[in-house]
Amino acid sequence: MRSKLEDVGTTIFTVMSRRARELDALNLGQGFPDYDIDPRLTELVGEAMRAGHNQYAPMEGLAVLRERIAAKLSASYGLQVDPETEVTITLGATEGIYSAVQGVIGAGDEAIAFDPAYDSYEPSVRLAGGRCIRLPLTQPGFRYDWDRVRHAMSARTRLLLFNSPHNPACSTAHAADLDELARLAAERDIVVLSDEVYEHVVFDGARHLSVLAHPGLAPRSLAVFSFGKTLHATGLRVGYCVAPAALTRELRKVHQFNTFSISHPLQHAIAAYLAEQPHCGEGLAAFFQAKRDRLRAALAGTGFELPKAAGTYFQLLDFRAFAGPDDRAFADRLLSEARVASIPLSPFYARPEPLSFVRLCIAKRDSTLDEAAARLRAFAARS
Ligand SMILES: Cc1ncc(COP(=O)(O)O)c(C=O)c1O
């Protein structure tokens, strides 16, 4: 049978997690917390099920949850979003990305994504019949080359995929980046899909810059978010997409035949949780910054360089003192020799660059981070 995604295999996250289990290694590869979620959220899920919210939820999402999201966006960014026409509950951010891409991209259209790119972007574009043009962020620091973007744009370009805070680069976009993005998108009337799942994880006192708060970008952007990240519970699979009514209509046309509607009891539980803790996202930056700093301090002087992550719950590890720029080989070595699973960056590239980084997830108990650091220190001392 002809495969529609011939070159797509099992993702690197699944592969590394499986190997970590086989080798009983610490899994700092796949991005998920290893600590408990707030027990109050667990209670609220139980309450929602006992209250009988166990049949189909509305296609666009529960009204009360969409209202809470609008209130959250108002508190975070001073935005006035219409929950009725501009907010849609999706199955994690992943479905938001997929449905948004299907809603915008048609056969022969082009989308531009920046490498290293989150792995669902290109397959979503290709399954819509489009072509994904992948432009690398430039070193050092994974910055945008806007001239290159301008050259890559054509009459066929329909969509720009943007991600800040950026996984796996751990960088954040600057205000000037959003201005350039807005200028270029306006030139050719391009839609922007902004992946903002780490909106609350921005370090060192900086603030997240949402496309929704940018006057040039808001009218042409869909932004996706994830309660999996905000509530430390990646298994909830509840996210949302915020976009002007016209774009939301297109997104919902796909959403209703893709997932149709999202877990009803979970939506009730999250709405109730947000009512009790409307500012629950605000503590995330300090929480993860402490973990970032803990890991960086524990690995100081080992030969590993840890470029200071500006955001996300990841931290890059620069291994150039130990090996050449073959990141898959080095991730394998860390797994077998240090029994620490990481994620190489090359799978996030269409044309891998000779970089010497692997990505570590810092959304782990302090004891997990300490043990991982001890294993990496021992590895460095032996190497
Ligand atoms: C940049 C980025 N986008 C999207 C997602 C997917 O989010 P969700 O788990 O809500 O589908 C992730 C998850 O790791 C991510 O890192």
Side-chain angles (χ1 to χ4, degrees), residues 172 202-208 310:
T172 49
V202 176
F203 301 141
D204 304 312
R207 289 196 58 77
H208 173 58

Side-chain angles (χ1 to χ4, degrees), residues 111-160:
I112 293 177
F114 299 95
D115 282 1
Y118 187 65
D119 64 347
S120 83
Y121 299 161
E122 170 152 356
S124 301
V125 171
R126 281 165 51 192
L127 287 171
R131 191 161 87 92
C132 194
I133 296 173
R134 310 268 296 262
L135 302 178
L137 297 173
T138 59
Q139 295 299 329
F142 298 96
R143 302 312 322 170
Y144 291 90
D145 179 345
W146 293 111
D147 279 341
R148 206 161 163 188
V149 180
R150 185 187 301 274
H151 282 114
M153 290 184 349
S154 74
R156 285 188 296 276
T157 313
R158 288 275 294 139
L159 184 69
L160 268 156

Side-chain angles (χ1 to χ4, degrees), residues 192-261:
V192 172
L193 175 50
S194 182
D195 180 342
E196 304 188 14
V197 299
Y198 299 104
E199 62 169 332
H200 294 301
V201 195
V202 176
F203 301 141
D204 304 312
R207 289 196 58 77
H208 173 58
L209 301 176
S210 175
V211 296
L212 301 174
H214 189 286
L217 287 168
R220 60 175 67 255
S221 296
L222 303 116
V224 294
F225 302 88
S226 171
F227 285 116
K229 308 294 176 193
T230 305
L231 302 178
H232 304 284
T234 58
L236 288 181
R237 312 304 302 129
V238 182
Y240 52 101
C241 180
V242 183
L247 286 170
T248 294
R249 264 197 302 279
E250 297 310 309
L251 169 91
R252 288 182 183 173
K253 286 180 193 171
V254 179
H255 167 76
Q256 70 180 340
F257 298 123
N258 183 9
T259 52
F260 173 55
S261 76

Side-chain angles (χ1 to χ4, degrees), residues 116 137 141-144 163-174 177 198 201-202 308-312 314 316:
L137 297 173
F142 298 96
R143 302 312 322 170
Y144 291 90
N163 170 216
S164 178
H166 190 284
N167 171 24
C170 308
S171 56
T172 49
H174 300 165
D177 291 321
Y198 299 104
V201 195
V202 176
K308 208 175 196 181
T312 77
F314 302 106
L316 294 180

